[in-house]
Amino acid sequence: MRIDRIALSGFRNYDEETAEFSPGVNILRGENAQGKTNLLEAVYLLTGAHSFRTRFDRELIGFGCDWASILADVDSDGREQTIRLLFRRGQRRTVTVNGAKKTSAELSGVLRAVLFSPDDLYLIKEGAAARRRLMDAAIPQLRSRYAQLLTDYNRLYENKTRILKDWREKPRLLDTLDEFSDGLARCSASILRYRASFVDRLGELAAPIHRDFSGGSERLSLAYRTVSTVTDPHAPAEEIYYQICEHQERHRQAELDAGQCLTGIHKDDIDILINGVPARTFASQGQTRTAALSLKLAEREIFKNETGEYPVLLLDDVLSELDAGRQEFVLNRIGGGQTFISCCEDGTIRRRTGGRVFAVRAGSIRREE
């Protein structure tokens, strides 16, 4: 799986730029605020038309532009395909694959990528939202139905939240409350089964990576945590649905009193343990970084095992945040697929990887020989 060529028009700080990439390592070198992360964002958008930096398409459009376009030739599952994303101010984005219109959910899985940014180094210590983002970014690329389920869940959640917030001024809104709660329960039953399965695989693959990383001295383990009434997240969806309904009923009055949605999978989390101890509370900074790296490398292995080919790996200025030992560990494990590494100075990275180097400056991309 790889990106052969990308063309950007009106995207972020790129007016008109084109680049052809190596199927191996590509090093994006340049000072801060020159466009390196913007280029990685464009690549990541090809995996499902969702940015890892913003919720709003308008922020992807360059200053003074009315639209932005990303056009890319990719090789996926042994097929050459052309993906185009078009963002217009005040309009819905347009997604096409080989000229045929697709939804964002349908785009998921055409190209797959794993992103690792400096923020991910704090994945272990941050709140539950960061670990949900890990699941919600990875799973749609493997299971396209998940993307649609998540879209449906978020829509239902927003509607239910508005009802709970406004029902005192508009009591008739309560007539539809149970309908939205039921829809949330049905979406939740499927979503959490996907999540639980993913976390199981992530834990199985991250444990040996972390063990090697720590010199055999530490044991990493993961557990998926959802609403308390769900006794087995791998049970049939119908069984989980009734258990979620039970949880909703228990909290119905509390939600009405609070005016907000208090129950649901939007509060799910991954419990991360090192040697049986909660990492979020007790892990050192070094342990936190090692665990985060292990999770991201394990995510890459899941994609490889599932699809037969490595996803595109995006390392956004993350190596500069690591000591020499952790840098070496990562670089020794990125072979076999296409990788993009952004950095301020390529230095030893070029020598250690033999990668193709691109100088990124003020929205221009120039290949260096």
Side-chain angles (χ1 to χ4, degrees), residues 274-290:
I274 297 177
N275 293 335
V277 176
R280 186 182 180 195
T281 305
F282 298 103
S284 67
Q285 185 181 57
Q287 288 176 316
T288 296
R289 294 191 169 204
T290 298

Side-chain angles (χ1 to χ4, degrees), residues 47-328:
T47 67
H50 295 291
S51 170
F52 61 86
R53 302 165 74 191
T54 180
R55 292 176 52 197
F56 306 107
D57 288 352
R58 63 176 180 270
E59 296 182 17
L60 305 175
I61 301 173
F63 181 75
C65 299
D66 294 323
W67 56 273
S69 171
I70 304 171
L71 181 66
D73 295 326
V74 308
D75 186 287
S76 175
D77 299 323
R79 297 174 55 203
E80 294 184 1
Q81 304 190 65
T82 299
I83 302 172
R84 189 184 188 216
L85 307 179
L86 181 62
F87 306 95
R88 297 186 183 92
R89 293 193 186 278
Q91 298 184 40
R92 294 177 64 86
R93 72 186 71 138
T94 301
V95 178
T96 61
V97 179
N98 296 333
K101 278 193 175 183
K102 301 287 184 181
T103 64
S104 298
E106 289 172 332
L107 179 61
S108 299
V110 175
L111 182 77
R112 302 176 184 91
V114 170
L115 168 75
F116 192 26
S117 71
D119 288 343
D120 291 319
L121 291 171
Y122 306 98
L123 177 67
I124 312 301
K125 291 287 190 179
E126 286 187 1
R131 291 175 287 280
R132 287 195 299 274
R133 285 195 298 271
L134 171 69
M135 296 185 284
D136 292 345
I139 300 172
Q141 299 184 59
L142 297 170
R143 300 287 184 268
S144 60
R145 182 169 178 262
Y146 184 89
Q148 187 59 56
L149 284 167
L150 202 59
T151 297
D152 293 343
Y153 183 90
N154 290 333
R155 174 180 53 80
L156 291 163
Y157 173 79
E158 289 173 3
N159 281 311
K160 181 176 177 179
T161 298
R162 283 197 296 269
I163 291 171
L164 291 169
K165 181 180 178 181
D166 298 336
W167 73 269
R168 289 182 176 84
E169 289 74 25
K170 302 175 183 178
R172 290 188 62 183
L173 289 174
L174 292 180
D175 294 343
T176 59
L177 179 61
D178 291 341
E179 177 183 344
F180 285 110
S181 292
D182 185 74
L184 284 170
R186 293 185 185 280
C187 280
S188 298
S190 296
I191 289 172
L192 72 82
R193 292 179 80 247
Y194 281 122
R195 286 178 173 177
S197 177
F198 175 78
V199 171
D200 283 352
R201 287 185 291 167
L202 190 68
E204 290 170 2
L205 291 168
I209 294 173
H210 188 272
R211 185 172 57 247
D212 291 346
F213 214 161
S214 63
S217 63
E218 294 177 357
R219 176 172 49 86
L220 179 72
S221 59
L222 310 180
Y224 176 60
R225 177 155 51 87
T226 186
V227 295
S228 59
T229 52
V230 175
T231 56
D232 178 9
H234 300 288
E238 183 177 8
E239 180 180 331
I240 295 172
Y241 161 72
Y242 287 117
Q243 292 174 341
I244 293 173
C245 287
E246 178 187 349
H247 197 267
Q248 288 179 334
E249 186 59 31
R250 290 181 185 178
H251 290 78
R252 191 177 194 279
Q253 188 58 51
E255 289 185 329
L256 291 170
D257 294 341
Q260 56 183 303
C261 192
L262 301 176
T263 174
I265 60 166
H266 54 280
K267 295 189 173 185
D268 288 0
D269 200 357
I270 303 174
D271 290 330
I272 302 173
L273 308 178
I274 297 177
N275 293 335
V277 176
R280 186 182 180 195
T281 305
F282 298 103
S284 67
Q285 185 181 57
Q287 288 176 316
T288 296
R289 294 191 169 204
T290 298
L293 284 164
S294 299
L295 292 181
K296 282 296 180 175
L297 292 172
E299 182 184 346
R300 183 173 183 252
E301 292 300 318
I302 288 176
F303 282 60
K304 172 63 164 58
N305 293 344
E306 183 84 12
T307 68
E309 55 185 348
Y310 280 113
V312 177
L313 180 62
L314 309 175
L315 301 178
D316 184 18
D317 203 25
V318 72
L319 294 180
S320 64
E321 301 285 332
L322 303 176
D323 57 39
R326 291 184 174 86
Q327 281 190 18
E328 191 68 27

